C-alpha cells in the first residue's frame, strides 16, 4: 500500500513539473524575461572570441575594462551552445526555459531522498506556485544553476556518494557566489546536526573548496575592485501569505521533531546571514527552508485528513483536501508585495495565475522583458551602420548598453553589475562613438543639452524611445594609452582554454554519474 502511494505521489510531482514545462514552452516568444541574462550572454560571447575563460572583462568599461570575477560555469555552458552555431536569442530562451523545471526536478529528487515522495510532491507544488521564487529562478540563471547543484550535493551526501557530492558542490561554487556560500553554511550545520555524516560532510566541504581555489584566488587578487555598496536588489519584496502561514505552523512541527525534519531547520538557520539580500534570500532561492516547512505542514494535515477518511472508509475527505490545496496554491495563493515602503495585496498571486498566456500581469520590474524587436531593430541598424568593430558605444542606462552590445558585437564604456569597479574610472560618454539615450517617459522631447554641448555631439537618429548621438571626438587610441597595458593583454588571453573547461565538465559529469549509479 505504501509503495503504491509513493508511486502515486511521484506521478503527481512529475505532472506538476511537466505542466510547468509546457506553460514555459508556450511562453517561448515572450522570453527572455529579464535583463540579467544579457550580462551572462555578453560574457559567453567574449569567452567564445577568446577561446576560453577570461580573467579580465574588456567588453565592459571599455577600453580599460575591469576584473571578471563572476563564477564562469554558466558562461561556459552558454559558450558551448554558441559554439554549435545556435543563435544568441535561442541560447537565451533555451537556458531560461529549462532553468525552473531543472530546479523543480532537483528539489523533487532531493526531498524524496531525505523524506518521502509525498513530501517531495508538496515541496514541488509549493515552490512551483510561489511567483517570486519562479521569477528569481528564471531571472537569475546563475543563481538557479547553483541552487540545483547545491541540492544535488545534499542529495549525493545523503546517499553517501561523497565523490558526487564533492563534484556538485564544486560546480555550485563555480556557478554563483552567494548561493554557494548559503549551501556551504548549510553543509556545515548539517555536519553538526548529523554526527554520523560529519566526516563525509567535512570531506565535501574541504575538497570542493580546494577545487574552487583557483577561481577563489583570482577573486581575492582583485578584491579591491569589489564595491559591495553598489550591489542593488531594488526588486519588490514579496511574501506568499499562504506559504509563510504554513511555514510558521511547519516550524513548530519541525522543532518538535528535529531528528526527522532537521533539513528544513538547517536551511532556515543557514539563510539568516544572507537576509540583508532580502529579495534573493526571502522571496527567491533562499526561501528553500520556508518551502520545506510549508510542505511539512501540508503533510501533517494530509495525515490527519487521511485518518478521518480511513475511519469513514471513504476517499472523499482526501480528495477534497488535495483539491483545496491545488486551488489555494495553483490559482489563488495570495501575496503581499512591498516596494518603497508601500504594501500591495494580490489575491491571485500564484505563478500559474501570473504566467499562463493571456492571464499574465506585468507590474514588477523583474518580469518585464526588454527584448522588443520592433523597438530595437532600428537601433541595432544605426549602431552597425555608424560604427566599426573596434568602436565603443554607451547609454544613459547601463543595462541597455549591454543589451545592445550583445546583438551588435560592440564594446561598451559602461557596465552591467556595477559592483565590480573598472581598472580606471573614465567618463563613459567621452570615449563612446555612439550614445544611445533612453528618453525620459515624462519628458519625451527633453535632450541632454549640457552633454551635447560639452562633447559636441550630433544627433544622427531618433526613435519613439531613443535619441542616438554620434561623438566625433571619441578617441579610442588615446583612451587605450590611458589604460593599463598589462591588464589589456591579460584580458585578451584565456586563462583556461575552452577545450580544457569542457574536458573537466565532461569528466566531472561521468565521475559523478558513475558514483551515483554504483551500489554501496
Amino acid at each position: 500500500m505504501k509503495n503504491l502511494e509513493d508511486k502515486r505521489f511521484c506521478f503527481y510531482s512529475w505532472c506538476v513539473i511537466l505542466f510547468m514545462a509546457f506553460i514555459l514552452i508556450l511562453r517561448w516568444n515572450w522570453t527572455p524575461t529579464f535583463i540579467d541574462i544579457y550580462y551572462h550572454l555578453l560574457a559567453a560571447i567574449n569567452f567564445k572570441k577568446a577561446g576560453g575563460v577570461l580573467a579580465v572583462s574588456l567588453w565592459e568599461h571599455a577600453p580599460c575594462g575591469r576584473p571578471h570575477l563572476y563564477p564562469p560555469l554558466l558562461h561556459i555552458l552558454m559558450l558551448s551552445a554558441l559554439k554549435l552555431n545556435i543563435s544568441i536569442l535561442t541560447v537565451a530562451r533555451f537556458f531560461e526555459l529549462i532553468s525552473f523545471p531543472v530546479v523543480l526536478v532537483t528539489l523533487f529528487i532531493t526531498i524524496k531522498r531525505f523524506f518521502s515522495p509525498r513530501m517531495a510532491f508538496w515541496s514541488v507544488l509549493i515552490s512551483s506556485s510561489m511567483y517570486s521564487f519562479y521569477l528569481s529562478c528564471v531571472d537569475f540563471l546563475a543563481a538557479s544553476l547553483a541552487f540545483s547543484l547545491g541540492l544535488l550535493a545534499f542529495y549525493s551526501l545523503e546517499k553517501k556518494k561523497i565523490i558526487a557530492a564533492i563534484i556538485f558542490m564544486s560546480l555550485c561554487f563555480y556557478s554563483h557566489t552567494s548561493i554557494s556560500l548559503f549551501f556551504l553554511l548549510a553543509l556545515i550545520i548539517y555536519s553538526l546536526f548529523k554526527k554520523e555524516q560529519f566526516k563525509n560532510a567535512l570531506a565535501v566541504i574541504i575538497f570542493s573548496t580546494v577545487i574552487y581555489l583557483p577561481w577563489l584566488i583570482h577573486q581575492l587578487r582583485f578584491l579591491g575592485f569589489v564595491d559591495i555598496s553598489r550591489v542593488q536588489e531594488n526588486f519588490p519584496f514579496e511574501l506568499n501569505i499562504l506559504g509563510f502561514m504554513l511555514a510558521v505552523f511547519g516550524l513548530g512541527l519541525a522543532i518538535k521533531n528535529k531528528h526527522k525534519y532537521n533539513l528544513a531547520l538547517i536551511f532556515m538557520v543557514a539563510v539568516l546571514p544572507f537576509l540583508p539580500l532580502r529579495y534573493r534570500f526571502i522571496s527567491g532561492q533562499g526561501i528553500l527552508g520556508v518551502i520545506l516547512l510549508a510542505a511539512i505542514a501540508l503533510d501533517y494535515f494530509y495525515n490527519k485528513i487521511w485518518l478521518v477518511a480511513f475511519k469513514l472508509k471513504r476517499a472523499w475527505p482526501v480528495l477534497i483536501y488535495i483539491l483545496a490545496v491545488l486551488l489555494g496554491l495553483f490559482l489563488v495563493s495570495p501575496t503581499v508585495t512591498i516596494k518603497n515602503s508601500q504594501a500591495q495585496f494580490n489575491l491571485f498571486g500564484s505563478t500559474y495565475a501570473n504566467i499562463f498566456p493571456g492571464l499574465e500581469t506585468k507590474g514588477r520590474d523583474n518580469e518585464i522583458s526588454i527584448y522588443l524587436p520592433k523597438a530595437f531593430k532600428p537601433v541595432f541598424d544605426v549602431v552597425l551602420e555608424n560604427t566599426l568593430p573596434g568602436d565603443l558605444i554607451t547609454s544613459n542606462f547601463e543595462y541597455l548598453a549591454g543589451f545592445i552590445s550583445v546583438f551588435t558585437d560592440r564594446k561598451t564604456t559602461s557596465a552591467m553589475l556595477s559592483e565590480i569597479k573598472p581598472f580606471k574610472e573614465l567618463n563613459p560618454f567621452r570615449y563612446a562613438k555612439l550614445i544611445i539615450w533612453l528618453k525620459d517617459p515624462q519628458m519625451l522631447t527633453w535632450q541632454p543639452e549640457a552633454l551635447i554641448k560639452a562633447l559636441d555631439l550630433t544627433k544622427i537618429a531618433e526613435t519613439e524611445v531613443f535619441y542616438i548621438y554620434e561623438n566625433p571626438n571619441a578617441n579610442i587610441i588615446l583612451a587605450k594609452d590611458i589604460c593599463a597595458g598589462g591588464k589589456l593583454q591579460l584580458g585578451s588571453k584565456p586563462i583556461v582554454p575552452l577545450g580544457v573547461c569542457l574536458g573537466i565538465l565532461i569528466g566531472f559529469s561521468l565521475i559523478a554519474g558513475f558514483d551515483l549509479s554504483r551500489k554501496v
Side-chain angles (χ1 to χ4, degrees), residues 376 379 392-405 411-415 428-429 432 434-439 451 465-467 469:
F376 283 99
V379 178
L392 310 179
I393 63 171
T394 196
S395 173
N396 57 325
F397 177 36
E398 293 88 347
Y399 274 89
L400 177 62
F403 168 74
I404 295 171
S405 178
K411 297 176 181 179
T412 73
T413 59
S414 54
F429 302 109
L434 291 187
I435 299 168
I436 299 95
W437 193 272
L438 180 64
K439 293 181 179 179
L451 183 66
V465 185
F466 307 104
Y467 293 117
Y469 302 102

Side-chain angles (χ1 to χ4, degrees), residues 372-384 403 463 466:
L372 304 168
K374 290 184 179 178
F376 283 99
K377 180 63 167 61
V379 178
F380 297 159
D381 291 342
V382 171
V383 171
L384 291 172
F403 168 74
T463 70
F466 307 104

Side-chain angles (χ1 to χ4, degrees), residues 252-407:
L253 296 173
I255 292 173
K256 287 181 180 178
N257 197 346
K258 292 190 287 289
H259 180 74
K260 183 178 181 181
Y261 297 124
N262 55 35
L263 188 67
L265 297 174
I266 286 169
F267 286 129
M268 287 300 294
V269 174
V271 82
L272 295 178
F274 302 94
L275 291 184
L277 298 172
R278 63 180 192 177
Y279 175 78
R280 182 70 54 83
F281 286 96
I282 300 179
S283 297
Q285 285 92 344
I287 207 171
L288 178 58
V290 171
I291 290 171
L292 294 185
L293 291 175
I296 291 169
L298 286 180
D299 202 54
Y300 172 84
F301 294 134
Y302 175 87
N303 282 325
K304 294 296 184 184
I305 297 294
W306 189 90
L307 288 175
V308 172
F310 180 77
K311 289 178 181 179
L312 295 175
K313 296 182 179 180
R314 294 287 188 274
W316 60 262
V318 173
L319 292 176
I320 290 175
Y321 174 72
I322 292 178
L323 287 174
V325 171
L326 290 174
L327 180 66
L329 294 176
F330 263 64
L331 180 61
V332 182
S333 200
T335 60
V336 173
T337 304
I338 303 171
K339 185 176 183 181
N340 299 326
S341 301
Q342 294 184 335
Q344 181 180 355
F345 176 77
N346 183 10
L347 179 62
F348 299 99
S350 75
T351 302
Y352 303 95
N354 279 278
I355 71 169
F356 201 85
L359 297 178
E360 66 266 36
T361 59
K362 296 296 177 192
R364 301 166 182 82
D365 295 340
N366 57 325
E367 63 178 346
I368 300 173
S369 174
I370 65 170
Y371 183 75
L372 304 168
K374 290 184 179 178
F376 283 99
K377 180 63 167 61
V379 178
F380 297 159
D381 291 342
V382 171
V383 171
L384 291 172
E385 290 169 5
N386 291 273
T387 59
L388 297 172
D391 290 331
L392 310 179
I393 63 171
T394 196
S395 173
N396 57 325
F397 177 36
E398 293 88 347
Y399 274 89
L400 177 62
F403 168 74
I404 295 171
S405 178
V406 167
F407 292 99

Side-chain angles (χ1 to χ4, degrees), residues 10 12 22-23 30 61 88 93 98 101 140 147 173 177 197 265 275 318 377 395 402 504:
C10 284
Y12 295 159
F22 173 71
I23 295 175
W30 279 268
H61 281 309
I88 294 170
R93 286 174 166 170
I98 67 170
F140 306 107
F147 183 86
F173 278 127
T177 301
Q197 285 277 44
L265 297 174
L275 291 184
V318 173
K377 180 63 167 61
S395 173
I504 293 172

